[in-house]
Amino acid sequence: MKQEHFVQRHQSEWIAFEHWLDARGPSARKARAERRNWHGLSDAEMPSRYRRLCQQLALARRRGYSPVVTDRLQALMHRGHGLLYRTPVPHWRRAAEFLIAGFPRLVRAERGCMLASFALFWIPLVAIFAAIQWQPDLSSALFDPVQLMQFEHMYDPVDPARKLGRDNGTDVAMFGHYVWNNVSIGFRTFASGLIAGIGSIVVLIVNGVMIGGVAGHLQAVGHGDPFWRFVAGHSAPELTAIVIAGGAGLRLGLSLVAPGQRRRADALVEGGRRGALLCVGVLAMLVFAAFVEAFWSSIAWMPAWIKYTVGGVLWTSTAAWLLLGGRHLPAEDAGA
């Protein structure tokens, strides 16, 4: 092939590759900030484009094309090599990007399972809470008298000096206890989905009934104010994380029961991978909830309006993060 025909055939590829290098090369941070407005080659295409460029350079050298052509291809190859094989993003930054953007996108991608999990958890919770307000004796069917006395003692409104929601223990010790308790609940909610999704359904309903039962009893006996001041802060990340763990468990169960066109084993592996990624975000939410519960929620002297304001901010922030996080990313970044 003559040099003129060779250049004419591949010129558009070289220009597109050069534009991608100009957009991505100078600053990775700037490239991430501006990729929403980028309409050139996608990042996913670049490895194959780079290999094609190397092949074209080899052909140009073998055919004895002029240095104008070979030098241009050599320069593009060096720039592409330096960009494609540069030092990867630090693990902490990748983790932060996943929690900020990738995790919310993954939650939204599983919206069907998440909505089902939301209903399985919140409908029993609200229903049992309302039922106890109408018939207070129902709490005795859920808890024994000793447990009910413990609940009332932990949220006793006539003893404002003591910590809310606990009998004893330092903040640090209770933080460790809350981490263990919250994470174990989240893990059970997800892992029980292996029982064809039935396990996650049962765990979600039971947790909804238990939480609604405690809240309903304390409200019915006049201990609602300290209880609501205690749960206002950490309820947003904690309860939302339980719902997401339940949605991940339902996805795992659906992969087992309804694999679609894939083999059951392949569907289960894919469901487990997506569920594990969801559990990474759930773990972060539960640890944060435990921190708030140990060091903020238990403060008894704090005025109620401050507690409720902080709680409202956390609920709003959690909802905005899950609904809006990662919307600026292109499709290939979401897949990655």
Side-chain angles (χ1 to χ4, degrees):
M1 181 184 294
K2 292 184 177 180
Q3 177 176 305
E4 294 78 7
H5 294 161
F6 180 82
V7 173
Q8 185 178 6
R9 173 177 292 185
H10 302 297
Q11 179 84 314
S12 60
E13 296 181 39
W14 302 340
I15 293 174
F17 192 89
E18 194 167 24
H19 287 169
W20 184 86
L21 292 173
D22 292 338
R24 292 290 191 264
S27 170
R29 180 178 298 179
K30 181 180 179 181
R32 287 193 296 270
E34 297 179 351
R35 59 187 165 188
R36 186 176 185 179
N37 299 320
W38 172 250
H39 301 294
L41 296 175
S42 67
D43 294 348
E45 295 182 72
M46 297 320 297
S48 61
R49 290 296 187 111
Y50 175 75
R51 290 192 295 268
R52 184 174 172 84
L53 182 71
C54 293
Q55 181 185 25
Q56 292 164 359
L57 175 61
L59 286 173
R61 286 175 172 171
R62 189 174 64 183
R63 294 170 179 173
Y65 292 159
S66 70
V68 175
V69 175
T70 57
D71 289 350
R72 180 185 182 187
L73 294 177
Q74 180 74 31
L76 288 176
M77 188 197 71
H78 278 304
R79 291 181 64 192
H81 183 276
L83 192 55
L84 290 172
Y85 295 96
R86 66 184 174 187
T87 303
V89 177
H91 291 301
W92 67 266
R93 182 178 294 176
R94 293 176 60 189
E97 289 179 350
F98 171 73
L99 290 177
I100 294 171
F103 176 69
R105 290 194 69 147
L106 193 55
V107 170
R108 294 196 298 271
E110 300 292 347
R111 63 177 61 86
C113 291
M114 296 302 163
L115 290 174
S117 177
F118 180 89
L120 288 168
F121 178 76
W122 280 101
I123 290 177
L125 190 156
V126 174
I128 197 67
F129 176 86
I132 291 177
Q133 305 314 301
W134 175 66
Q135 189 67 36
D137 292 340
L138 287 176
S139 57
S140 300
L142 297 174
F143 309 101
D144 60 53
V146 175
Q147 289 178 307
L148 294 177
M149 290 180 60
Q150 290 176 340
F151 297 151
E152 295 173 13
H153 176 67
M154 290 166 62
Y155 302 98
D156 188 354
V158 301
D159 188 8
R162 65 187 305 276
K163 292 279 189 177
L164 295 175
R166 67 174 75 162
D167 291 324
N168 48 43
T170 64
D171 290 346
V172 175
M174 294 307 297
F175 172 62
H177 169 75
Y178 293 143
V179 168
W180 172 260
N181 182 68
N182 294 351
V183 171
S184 63
I185 292 174
F187 178 77
R188 286 197 302 270
T189 306
F190 165 66
S192 57
L194 278 171
I195 312 174
I198 298 174
S200 293
I201 294 174
V202 172
V203 173
L204 285 167
I205 294 175
V206 169
N207 275 283
V209 169
M210 293 295 102
I211 295 173
V214 173
H217 174 74
L218 292 173
Q219 182 68 32
V221 298
H223 292 202
D225 176 67
F227 173 76
W228 297 120
R229 285 190 288 119
F230 175 72
V231 302
H234 64 272
S235 57
E238 182 175 320
L239 300 185
T240 305
I242 292 175
V243 169
I244 294 173
L250 293 177
R251 165 50 56 200
L252 196 62
L254 281 176
S255 300
L256 184 64
V257 175
Q261 300 298 320
R262 297 172 295 176
R263 293 189 309 161
R264 198 176 304 276
D266 294 338
L268 189 59
V269 168
E270 175 61 18
R273 186 189 70 84
R274 294 176 71 86
L277 288 173
L278 286 168
C279 284
V280 172
V282 167
L283 174 63
M285 294 177 70
L286 291 176
V287 171
F288 174 72
F291 179 84
V292 176
E293 188 172 1
F295 295 97
W296 168 262
S297 298
S298 61
I299 299 175
W301 55 264
M302 189 72 65
W305 69 269
I306 296 180
K307 287 290 192 77
Y308 295 146
T309 300
V310 172
V313 169
L314 287 174
W315 273 106
T316 303
S317 301
T318 302
W321 169 51
L322 294 176
L323 293 175
L324 303 177
R327 286 188 177 273
H328 66 285
L329 294 179
E332 62 268 17
D333 289 341

